[in-house]
Amino acid sequence: MSLHDDAVLVLKNYRHGADGTHRPDDAQEELRSAYLDHLALHPDGMWKACGAGHLTASALVIDPERGKVLLTLHRKLRMWLQMGGHCEPGDATLAAAALREATEESGIDGLTLLAGGPVVLDRHPIPAPCHWHLDVQYAALAPSGAAERISEESLDLRWFAYAEVAGVADSSVVRLMERTRAALDAGR
């Protein structure tokens, strides 16, 4: 199965609501439909070279035991964000791409994705020629005692308490954190 095929399958099965359950959320359903339409129209829709936009994979690194999330101060954007980025030819699945990005950017070995697939979808504009990132966002659980290492893509890495995230990150990161916490509370 190709990465494109995997993405279609993941998106067809994606039904998560704002409360971390599988109940539909209108905004997420609209994005899910837009992502599927994009992939149907663009066989290259997984890759950065797709001028109409492309899917990306990201993961919020979370330590539920300490009530903290790890954010990266992105080198180019100069914003606190979850780990993530472009899919690569070696990625067999969207989940694998998200886990690879989270591991590379956090420097933490032994991350595991929260069961149940993506937590949230987020579409955001980027400068031309690409125009859009269609981000499929997962959550990655940090192992006990995890020690982060800054990658070349980051200016800084920092653990933030849940209550601190809204003060440093934009609403998309806050939404991802809230939905991750809801998914954890729902027993995913």
Side-chain angles (χ1 to χ4, degrees):
M1 176 182 315
S2 71
L3 183 58
H4 187 281
D5 293 341
D6 174 74
V8 169
L9 185 61
V10 166
L11 291 166
K12 283 184 176 180
N13 291 321
Y14 175 76
R15 297 269 192 275
H16 295 291
D19 59 358
T21 67
H22 289 275
R23 289 189 292 271
D25 170 284
D26 290 343
Q28 288 294 289
E29 285 298 306
E30 185 178 317
L31 283 176
R32 184 180 75 87
S33 180
Y35 284 29
L36 286 167
D37 290 347
H38 178 79
L39 289 174
L41 291 171
H42 302 283
D44 62 344
M46 297 301 301
W47 313 115
K48 188 177 181 179
C50 182
H54 52 275
L55 268 69
T56 54
S58 66
L60 180 70
V61 175
I62 187 167
D63 183 343
E65 290 176 13
R66 297 188 313 151
K68 294 190 175 202
V69 297
L70 182 66
L71 299 179
T72 178
L73 184 56
H74 194 277
R75 183 170 297 279
K76 291 180 183 175
L77 299 176
R78 304 209 183 269
M79 296 171 58
W80 288 104
L81 300 170
Q82 75 277 7
M83 315 303 153
H86 298 106
C87 296
E88 296 180 1
D91 295 326
T93 65
L94 273 176
L99 187 58
R100 175 188 49 76
E101 285 287 341
T103 301
E104 287 175 0
E105 292 183 13
S106 72
I108 298 174
D109 292 322
L111 294 173
T112 56
L113 292 182
L114 186 63
V119 177
V120 69
L121 305 177
D122 183 70
R123 178 176 55 192
H124 46 272
I126 58 172
C130 297
H131 302 295
W132 291 99
H133 273 177
L134 310 175
D135 200 25
V136 181
Q137 300 177 335
Y138 292 80
L141 302 173
S144 183
E148 68 280 1
R149 288 184 317 274
I150 295 174
S151 76
E152 62 188 36
E153 295 183 38
S154 300
L155 292 172
D156 196 7
L157 285 173
R158 193 174 307 158
W159 289 99
F160 291 96
Y162 298 153
E164 297 174 315
V165 173
V168 298
D170 72 8
S171 62
S172 69
V173 177
V174 173
R175 181 175 49 253
L176 174 57
M177 181 198 63
E178 289 170 349
R179 291 191 180 196
T180 297
R181 291 182 64 199
L184 286 166
D185 290 344
R188 277 187 49 197

